[in-house]
Amino acid sequence: MTTPHFKKLVIHGVGLLGGSVGLAVRKAGIAERVIGLGRSTERLERAKTLEAIDELSIDPEQALGQADALLLAVPPREIRRTFRIFGPLLNPGTFVTDVGSVKHRLVNEAESALPEGIQFIGSHPMAGSENSGVEHATGDFFTGSTSILTPTFHTKQEALKTGREFWQALGANVLVLSPEEHDEILAGISHLPHLIAAALIQSICRETNSMDLIRNLAGGGLRDTTRIAAAETETWKQIFSENKDLILRRLDACEVVLQEWRSALEMKDPAGLDAELERLWIEGRNARRALNPDGS
Amino acid sequence: MTTPHFKKLVIHGVGLLGGSVGLAVRKAGIAERVIGLGRSTERLERAKTLEAIDELSIDPEQALGQADALLLAVPPREIRRTFRIFGPLLNPGTFVTDVGSVKHRLVNEAESALPEGIQFIGSHPMAGSENSGVEHATGDFFTGSTSILTPTFHTKQEALKTGREFWQALGANVLVLSPEEHDEILAGISHLPHLIAAALIQSICRETNSMDLIRNLAGGGLRDTTRIAAAETETWKQIFSENKDLILRRLDACEVVLQEWRSALEMKDPAGLDAELERLWIEGRNARRALNPDGS
């Protein structure tokens, strides 16, 4: 396996993901200098204290001078808007990738906004946590996780190769999907579950007069089912917004199933009720078990 | 704290819950003999091998002769149907309780079907797992958990007192609710989440042609959110059936919230879209955090 080597890697956005990339890159020794770029020095100072970055900057022009690699680790809509601003500041041949959880619009924009000589590949490192902030960043955050690369017809082979080596050097397994395939899969396995978890806990807690009782009695089931609803607002708002059409399609599919549950529960005939509830439960049970045959 | 003492405790149904009660009762030494009662000897033999019971029986009349305590640990609809069958076989003064997850219909039936001198109190030990079967039973299954007791106007004070001491002797905290309050709370914090977890994984896996990709990419979020959909079919089918009216009301409330998410995602105006997504996400996030301020 070839390991990439950068003279100067700029990380734009040093939260949980950007900070973890900084720690992992420094641990793997694949960049001579890691610069944290952001809007305010406060978070950058924390990242520097935690040794996730070597230097910090709030000036894109200064930070990107002499950079040969740029990782965009802000929420997905901000990444998309960044290409047109950072594009003119990048050195020819610079490797550019990102951590955005929605790829189609973002990759389109990168391809139309970045100058010709830039080596861009879209990435989605599928490591995460309901925690956020650089305080939770770790140098082995990507170990054993999967990073998806999303090349298109326009992607340079060199960019795809560097992207693959970059994430592998950080301990991740790499999977290649088109941006469209990526967004469709993620709408199902990540975005819809976040929406459903939120809606479930909203509906349970809204207008309740027994919040103490709910808190006291909530078991592992409710806690597990709604855990991801506690995730960071800005990122999730932008993910929902960037992938809204595909999420709506997944919501349609979920509501079809909910309607079947409703029809079952409304059945007056006890034998029919029983048969329908059994059919629906077994379908879900088998699906969940197929997801994870070892039971975890 | 007074500890109850039984000469002969019969446990009807020795799965995860019944088996755990057997192990915990024997550990706490609150019964001289524990008899497992069931329909087939196979499961009972396993329970005996695991020392969850002292003796086994498939004959209710034989098992219940000289019994002074009976725990019903079969699925909730079966518990309900059992009162009329076991009632005539019970000795006067026998303490009877159960583990049913739905209480209103069950307690009503107990009060109309059991003979006058029986000491009945409805119980719902809120300890559980997505595993089932006596193989997963443990003697500390109830330690630190909450058992809900559901007395009515007709409940004898002696039965309530014994029920409280029984679950406390097994390590549980006891909470008292009316059967109706219990079913309403549980519809929200347990039954609806199970239905939603099932519908979510059903909708993701139904008609997919990329099950391998889903399995490969599914992160902790999807796994957590749908874990309870893998639970045992017969019990959950009966819970849904026994509490269907209240579950339908909770499903109504959840669908109101889902409709708000849909309306938000369908908004054409970017500022409105953003504001609505933020409002909805923050409501869910705050609700989830209120559930569990320590972040677990």
Side-chain angles (χ1 to χ4, degrees):
Chain A
M1 193 176 89
T2 319
T3 304
H5 182 84
F6 303 117
K7 283 198 185 325
K8 182 178 173 184
L9 166 68
V10 175
I11 299 176
H12 177 48
V14 286
L16 176 68
L17 279 167
S20 294
V21 167
L23 289 166
V25 159
R26 297 182 79 235
K27 194 167 142 189
I30 59 175
E32 289 172 28
R33 272 187 306 153
V34 179
I35 318 296
L37 171 64
R39 264 183 308 220
S40 80
T41 52
E42 191 196 324
R43 182 190 280 193
L44 293 166
E45 293 284 8
R46 272 183 286 155
K48 189 157 183 288
T49 306
L50 296 164
E51 302 191 335
I53 55 175
D54 298 301
E55 292 168 41
L56 58 90
S57 173
I58 54 168
D59 175 359
E61 193 165 349
Q62 181 229 343
L64 294 170
Q66 299 177 312
D68 55 353
L70 169 63
L71 176 88
L72 299 164
V74 289
R77 188 170 55 201
E78 288 173 44
I79 295 173
R80 180 162 59 79
R81 291 175 177 168
T82 300
F83 296 117
R84 216 162 280 275
I85 303 163
F86 288 178
L89 309 175
L90 296 170
N91 300 301
T94 299
F95 171 71
V96 177
T97 193
D98 72 292
V99 303
S101 310
V102 186
K103 305 271 41 132
H104 177 61
R105 293 182 73 185
L106 183 159
V107 170
N108 264 0
E109 176 66 9
E111 292 183 344
S112 78
L114 291 175
E116 186 53 35
I118 299 303
Q119 299 281 339
F120 172 77
I121 179 73
S123 305
H124 177 199
M126 296 206 28
S129 136
E130 69 274 16
N131 296 316
S132 59
V134 70
E135 297 76 15
H136 296 101
T138 64
D140 58 1
F141 196 71
F142 304 100
T143 307
S145 72
T146 297
S147 283
I148 303 176
L149 298 180
T150 58
T152 71
F153 183 70
H154 303 286
T155 302
K156 297 176 183 72
Q157 285 308 306
E158 184 64 23
L160 178 57
K161 180 171 175 288
T162 306
R164 186 186 290 275
E165 291 168 357
F166 178 77
W167 292 109
Q168 285 175 342
L170 270 46
N173 304 306
V174 168
L175 183 75
V176 175
L177 292 176
S178 74
E180 295 76 13
E181 281 176 300
H182 169 279
D183 288 358
E184 184 157 347
I185 293 273
L186 268 286
I189 66 168
S190 172
H191 309 167
L192 180 69
H194 276 81
L195 188 159
I196 294 291
L200 177 59
I201 196 70
Q202 285 173 277
S203 80
I204 291 169
C205 295
R206 195 181 272 190
E207 292 163 37
T208 185
N209 52 14
S210 49
M211 195 59 212
D212 282 346
L213 206 49
I214 290 174
R215 194 184 292 115
N216 182 7
L217 291 179
L222 181 64
R223 288 175 204 278
D224 280 357
T225 310
T226 60
R227 180 166 296 117
I228 54 179
E232 199 257 322
T233 305
E234 190 57 34
T235 298
W236 278 98
K237 187 185 73 178
Q238 294 193 19
I239 290 171
F240 288 134
S241 166
E242 291 285 293
N243 206 26
K244 62 194 172 71
D245 295 338
L246 292 175
I247 296 171
L248 277 168
R249 266 199 252 158
R250 299 308 317 178
L251 185 55
D252 290 343
C254 191
E255 284 184 348
V256 166
V257 181
L258 287 174
Q259 186 52 49
E260 290 177 33
W261 277 97
R262 171 178 293 284
S263 301
L265 291 167
E266 284 171 347
M267 286 180 87
K268 300 289 176 220
D269 162 42
L273 169 67
D274 222 51
E276 260 308 89
L277 291 178
E278 182 161 324
R279 176 184 76 78
L280 289 165
W281 185 257
I282 286 178
E283 184 191 354
R285 190 191 194 205
N286 289 346
R288 183 57 180 81
R289 292 186 172 189
L291 186 64
N292 218 14
D294 68 0
S296 70
Chain B
M1 193 177 86
T2 318
T3 303
H5 184 83
F6 304 117
K7 284 199 185 326
K8 182 178 172 185
L9 166 67
V10 174
I11 300 177
H12 177 48
V14 284
L16 176 67
L17 280 166
S20 294
V21 168
L23 289 167
V25 159
R26 297 183 78 234
K27 195 167 141 187
I30 60 176
E32 288 170 31
R33 269 187 308 154
V34 179
I35 318 296
L37 171 64
R39 263 182 307 218
S40 81
T41 51
E42 193 196 323
R43 182 189 278 191
L44 292 167
E45 292 285 6
R46 273 183 285 154
K48 187 156 185 281
T49 305
L50 295 165
E51 303 190 335
I53 55 177
D54 298 300
E55 292 169 41
L56 57 90
S57 172
I58 54 167
D59 174 359
E61 192 164 348
Q62 182 229 344
L64 294 169
Q66 298 178 312
D68 55 354
L70 169 63
L71 177 86
L72 298 164
V74 289
R77 189 173 52 201
E78 288 174 43
I79 295 173
R80 181 162 57 79
R81 290 177 178 169
T82 300
F83 295 116
R84 214 161 282 276
I85 302 163
F86 288 178
L89 309 175
L90 295 170
N91 299 302
T94 299
F95 171 70
V96 177
T97 193
D98 71 293
V99 303
S101 309
V102 186
K103 304 272 40 135
H104 177 59
R105 294 182 71 188
L106 183 157
V107 171
N108 264 1
E109 176 65 10
E111 293 182 345
S112 78
L114 291 174
E116 186 52 37
I118 299 302
Q119 298 281 339
F120 172 78
I121 178 74
S123 304
H124 176 199
M126 296 207 26
S129 136
E130 70 275 16
N131 296 316
S132 59
V134 70
E135 296 76 16
H136 296 102
T138 64
D140 58 2
F141 196 73
F142 305 101
T143 307
S145 72
T146 298
S147 284
I148 303 176
L149 297 180
T150 57
T152 71
F153 182 70
H154 303 285
T155 302
K156 297 177 181 71
Q157 285 309 305
E158 184 64 22
L160 178 59
K161 179 171 174 289
T162 306
R164 185 187 292 276
E165 291 168 356
F166 177 76
W167 291 110
Q168 285 175 343
L170 271 43
N173 304 306
V174 168
L175 184 75
V176 175
L177 293 175
S178 74
E180 295 76 13
E181 282 176 300
H182 169 279
D183 289 358
E184 184 157 347
I185 293 273
L186 269 285
I189 66 169
S190 171
H191 309 166
L192 180 69
H194 276 80
L195 188 158
I196 294 290
L200 178 58
I201 197 69
Q202 284 173 278
S203 79
I204 291 169
C205 296
R206 195 180 273 193
E207 294 164 35
T208 186
N209 51 14
S210 49
M211 196 59 212
D212 283 345
L213 206 51
I214 290 173
R215 194 185 291 117
N216 182 6
L217 291 178
L222 180 63
R223 288 176 204 278
D224 280 358
T225 311
T226 59
R227 180 166 295 117
I228 53 180
E232 201 256 322
T233 305
E234 190 56 34
T235 298
W236 279 97
K237 186 184 75 178
Q238 294 194 19
I239 289 171
F240 288 135
S241 166
E242 290 285 294
N243 206 25
K244 62 195 171 74
D245 295 337
L246 292 175
I247 296 172
L248 276 168
R249 266 200 251 157
R250 299 308 317 176
L251 184 56
D252 290 342
C254 190
E255 283 184 349
V256 166
V257 181
L258 287 175
Q259 185 53 50
E260 290 178 32
W261 276 98
R262 170 178 295 282
S263 301
L265 291 168
E266 284 171 346
M267 285 181 88
K268 300 291 177 216
D269 162 42
L273 169 67
D274 222 53
E276 261 309 88
L277 290 177
E278 182 160 325
R279 175 183 77 77
L280 289 165
W281 185 257
I282 287 177
E283 184 191 353
R285 189 188 194 207
N286 289 347
R288 182 57 180 82
R289 292 185 172 189
L291 185 62
N292 218 13
D294 68 1
S296 70

